[in-house]
Amino acid sequence: MIALTIAQIAHAVSGELHLAPGATADTVISGAVDTDSRLIEAGGVFVAKPGEETDGHLFVDAAAGKGAALAIVERTVEAPVSQIVVADAVEALADLARDVVKRVKDAGDLRVVGITGSNGKTTTKNLLARILEGEGETVSPKASFNNEVGAPLTMLRVTASTRYLVSEFGASGPGAIARLAGLVDPDVAVVLMVGMAHAGGFGGIEGTFHAKSELVKSLRAGGVAVLNADDARVAAMAPIASEAGAGVRWFGRGQGATDVRADDVVVTASGTSFTVTADGVSLPLRLRVLGEHHVMNALAAIAAATTLGVSLADAVESLETVEIAERWRMQPLGSDRVRIINDAYNASPDSMAAALRTLAQITGPGERTVAVLGAMSELGEYSEEEHDRVGLLAVRLGIQRIVVVGDAARRMYLEAVAQGSWDNEAVFFSTADEAFDYLRGELREGDRVLVKSSNSAGLRFLGDRLGESFS
């Protein structure tokens, strides 16, 4: 975090200051901010966030022992550290992030990019960050820090010399993206797609559209909305950008992608090659991240980067250095004998379909497709229908072994059987341990194995175990 006095922090969060012995209101704080006492370092700020299972106030003393110089709390705690008492610690975290980003913007040339979409946010964030790191100091989220706590924590990592802040915005409900994006007033807003991910929390896909469009509405006047021309709902956000006084930059693979486009896409087991055209300039790009669907993420990153003045050549050069999007996201494991693709950090109907299609595309003659599938979360009333669709798609793609894991995903198995996978092509196990024991004996040389589920299903750890077993 940038250097601020305790008094300045207290003013930013509208809190009541309680100084520890030896501290003054003019004491300068410049350490990192965190809500996890285990990660606090000397000079840092600990935010005592109440939680569902525990309460951050129980760890203020531990944070002080780790060297915290300040704690933001909702009530005073017996601990040898200065404390600022606020009404709501999470709101205070957001207020502090807003203050810090504004100060850095006002003092320098910080540019802010916001990214949202039903799928692809984290991959696009990582690809864009890789490009921008070559241009100047860049701050981007760790893992998927995109909620009311993670996004402000990322924002608070900016320094006086930070040139780019890349923020990833998820949505827990209507208004969530508006609140988070409103902390930073983005210069560039990237919208990837509007799909069924989290649709249960928004009352359907139209609710998801309105939630994602909140990012475009948050653009500062003169900013740019980077929109997916191939997604009709995203394309429908162009008038919203105009109302915000922002321009539009289109990316995609169809004719509507007038600014950044991909052609001649070739998918292989080692990555995807295509020709990218940006503003009339065309270059070949070999993306080592597995999956044809990541072409769109790369195009979005290129569109955002070139909006910020990065040359297409530099963007392509940076993207060709990326080997995986992130751990547990289309991550190759195992060996050439048995290749495991661990993509079980998150799942939605769209990303599940994309991963299954990738498995089918990259499996060659004499090789066998094996899909290990778990539940997709946050689909609400659409859950049964969407799980059925995945089972149907797996059969239609000709996946040769369908291994469904977990009671919440059982409908995938039942639908696969109903569609014709009754001769042991589809099997079901209640637990990951049972599935592991089966797969360890079933997998053979030439198998290409996809492990895909939502985070809550825990299959990412099954993917890791399979990767170790067949490495």
PDB file of all heavy atoms in Angstrom, residues 7 41 221 239 253 397 443 447:
ATOM      1  N   ALA A   7      -3.879   8.776  10.694  1.00  0.00           N
ATOM      2  CA  ALA A   7      -4.986   9.737  10.631  1.00  0.00           C
ATOM      3  C   ALA A   7      -5.622   9.743   9.244  1.00  0.00           C
ATOM      4  O   ALA A   7      -6.858   9.820   9.124  1.00  0.00           O
ATOM      5  CB  ALA A   7      -4.478  11.134  10.991  1.00  0.00           C
ATOM      6  N   GLU A  41       2.544  -9.060   7.579  1.00  0.00           N
ATOM      7  CA  GLU A  41       3.976  -8.837   7.744  1.00  0.00           C
ATOM      8  C   GLU A  41       4.201  -7.551   8.517  1.00  0.00           C
ATOM      9  O   GLU A  41       3.269  -6.770   8.744  1.00  0.00           O
ATOM     10  CB  GLU A  41       4.648  -8.764   6.372  1.00  0.00           C
ATOM     11  CG  GLU A  41       4.527 -10.059   5.579  1.00  0.00           C
ATOM     12  CD  GLU A  41       5.163  -9.960   4.205  1.00  0.00           C
ATOM     13  OE1 GLU A  41       5.599  -8.850   3.831  1.00  0.00           O
ATOM     14  OE2 GLU A  41       5.242 -10.986   3.514  1.00  0.00           O
ATOM     15  N   ALA A 221     -15.917   8.804 -18.104  1.00  0.00           N
ATOM     16  CA  ALA A 221     -16.149   9.445 -19.395  1.00  0.00           C
ATOM     17  C   ALA A 221     -14.858   9.448 -20.199  1.00  0.00           C
ATOM     18  O   ALA A 221     -13.793   9.794 -19.673  1.00  0.00           O
ATOM     19  CB  ALA A 221     -16.648  10.875 -19.187  1.00  0.00           C
ATOM     20  N   PRO A 239     -24.744   0.456 -26.512  1.00  0.00           N
ATOM     21  CA  PRO A 239     -25.461   1.690 -26.179  1.00  0.00           C
ATOM     22  C   PRO A 239     -25.239   2.144 -24.741  1.00  0.00           C
ATOM     23  O   PRO A 239     -25.238   3.349 -24.457  1.00  0.00           O
ATOM     24  CB  PRO A 239     -26.929   1.317 -26.421  1.00  0.00           C
ATOM     25  CG  PRO A 239     -26.893   0.168 -27.366  1.00  0.00           C
ATOM     26  CD  PRO A 239     -25.655  -0.591 -27.000  1.00  0.00           C
ATOM     27  N   ARG A 253     -14.402 -13.482 -33.341  1.00  0.00           N
ATOM     28  CA  ARG A 253     -14.011 -14.278 -34.505  1.00  0.00           C
ATOM     29  C   ARG A 253     -14.956 -14.071 -35.688  1.00  0.00           C
ATOM     30  O   ARG A 253     -14.704 -14.578 -36.771  1.00  0.00           O
ATOM     31  CB  ARG A 253     -13.958 -15.760 -34.117  1.00  0.00           C
ATOM     32  CG  ARG A 253     -12.892 -16.046 -33.067  1.00  0.00           C
ATOM     33  CD  ARG A 253     -12.907 -17.487 -32.605  1.00  0.00           C
ATOM     34  NE  ARG A 253     -12.636 -18.418 -33.687  1.00  0.00           N
ATOM     35  CZ  ARG A 253     -12.559 -19.738 -33.533  1.00  0.00           C
ATOM     36  NH1 ARG A 253     -12.731 -20.266 -32.317  1.00  0.00           N
ATOM     37  NH2 ARG A 253     -12.314 -20.528 -34.557  1.00  0.00           N
ATOM     38  N   LEU A 397     -20.424 -35.865 -28.252  1.00  0.00           N
ATOM     39  CA  LEU A 397     -19.041 -35.646 -28.665  1.00  0.00           C
ATOM     40  C   LEU A 397     -18.256 -36.954 -28.789  1.00  0.00           C
ATOM     41  O   LEU A 397     -17.092 -36.945 -29.190  1.00  0.00           O
ATOM     42  CB  LEU A 397     -18.340 -34.719 -27.665  1.00  0.00           C
ATOM     43  CG  LEU A 397     -18.758 -33.243 -27.700  1.00  0.00           C
ATOM     44  CD1 LEU A 397     -18.129 -32.480 -26.541  1.00  0.00           C
ATOM     45  CD2 LEU A 397     -18.372 -32.596 -29.029  1.00  0.00           C
ATOM     46  N   LEU A 443      -7.218 -46.372 -16.525  1.00  0.00           N
ATOM     47  CA  LEU A 443      -6.506 -45.565 -17.512  1.00  0.00           C
ATOM     48  C   LEU A 443      -5.347 -46.331 -18.121  1.00  0.00           C
ATOM     49  O   LEU A 443      -4.671 -47.118 -17.447  1.00  0.00           O
ATOM     50  CB  LEU A 443      -6.000 -44.267 -16.865  1.00  0.00           C
ATOM     51  CG  LEU A 443      -7.087 -43.303 -16.373  1.00  0.00           C
ATOM     52  CD1 LEU A 443      -6.468 -42.044 -15.783  1.00  0.00           C
ATOM     53  CD2 LEU A 443      -8.054 -42.943 -17.500  1.00  0.00           C
ATOM     54  N   ASP A 447      -4.510 -42.466 -23.271  1.00  0.00           N
ATOM     55  CA  ASP A 447      -5.705 -41.799 -22.745  1.00  0.00           C
ATOM     56  C   ASP A 447      -5.463 -40.308 -22.586  1.00  0.00           C
ATOM     57  O   ASP A 447      -4.376 -39.878 -22.160  1.00  0.00           O
ATOM     58  CB  ASP A 447      -6.110 -42.394 -21.400  1.00  0.00           C
ATOM     59  CG  ASP A 447      -6.821 -43.722 -21.543  1.00  0.00           C
ATOM     60  OD1 ASP A 447      -7.126 -44.107 -22.692  1.00  0.00           O
ATOM     61  OD2 ASP A 447      -7.072 -44.388 -20.520  1.00  0.00           O
TER      62      ASP A 447
END
